[in-house]
Amino acid sequence: MELVRAGNRRILFIMAAPPEYGPALRARFTPLMTGVGPVEAGLAAGAALARLEARGETPDLAVCLGSAGSRSLEQTGVYQVASVSYRDIDASPLGIPAGLTPYLDLPRELPLQVLLPDLPAVRLSTGGAVISGAAYDAIDADMVDMETFAVARACMAHGVPL
């Protein structure tokens, strides 16, 4: 893991697993590898951000890169995330709408800053399962992944934009 300088910004690139990290990316940066799934991603991102903060090296921006599934978007297309939700949280038996974390004052979808105006911005849903086929019917988002929401929460805890 390294912080990449872009102008006066320090950027932390975050990815889940080595198969997503091909030669073109390897030539440009060394990311934080979190492991697969929301638990591993949240733990790794939070711990890394805490270590960087303790050294006085808090990044100015984190960029979460990787692969995502979609029923409707072009396969191998490149997209930026306009918002991310956590599809596995369901406290509806407690009277809390599905998708909201109990006792946490956050919206169902976390808006993310769109930085690249020429890159399509889409909605992402994070959860702990690989989605395919009819499973997309239950998901209200353009793409699915297994890490971004957890990384976003770790970044929020450390004041780092994602």
Side-chain angles (χ1 to χ4, degrees):
M1 168 185 78
E2 66 179 342
L3 293 179
V4 174
R5 288 215 171 261
N8 61 354
R9 284 186 163 178
R10 293 173 302 188
I11 302 171
L12 174 62
F13 287 94
I14 302 171
M15 302 183 78
E20 298 174 318
Y21 183 50
L25 297 178
R26 286 180 201 278
R28 290 169 171 78
F29 60 84
T30 302
L32 167 66
M33 288 287 180
T34 66
V36 175
V39 172
E40 299 308 313
L43 176 65
L49 289 167
R51 284 192 303 272
L52 289 167
E53 188 176 313
R55 294 194 314 239
E57 297 176 3
T58 302
D60 300 303
L61 177 69
V63 176
C64 191
L65 293 173
S67 56
S70 178
R71 170 186 275 175
S72 59
L73 298 175
E74 178 185 348
Q75 188 174 7
T76 73
V78 177
Y79 303 91
Q80 66 185 316
V81 177
S83 67
V84 62
S85 60
Y86 183 35
R87 68 178 174 270
D88 291 346
I89 191 77
D90 184 357
S92 56
L94 301 175
I96 298 166
L100 289 177
T101 301
Y103 317 115
L104 190 61
D105 188 24
L106 288 176
R108 184 181 174 285
E109 285 187 53
L110 300 178
L112 299 179
Q113 187 176 5
V114 174
L115 297 173
L116 304 170
D118 296 332
L119 192 62
V122 299
R123 295 169 57 234
L124 177 65
S125 173
T126 295
V130 173
I131 302 298
S132 66
Y136 279 109
D137 295 344
I139 297 171
D140 179 26
D142 304 302
M143 294 188 310
V144 296
D145 83 341
M146 298 174 75
E147 295 82 26
T148 303
F149 187 89
V151 170
R153 290 292 291 125
C155 287
M156 288 173 73
H158 292 276
V160 176
L162 177 66

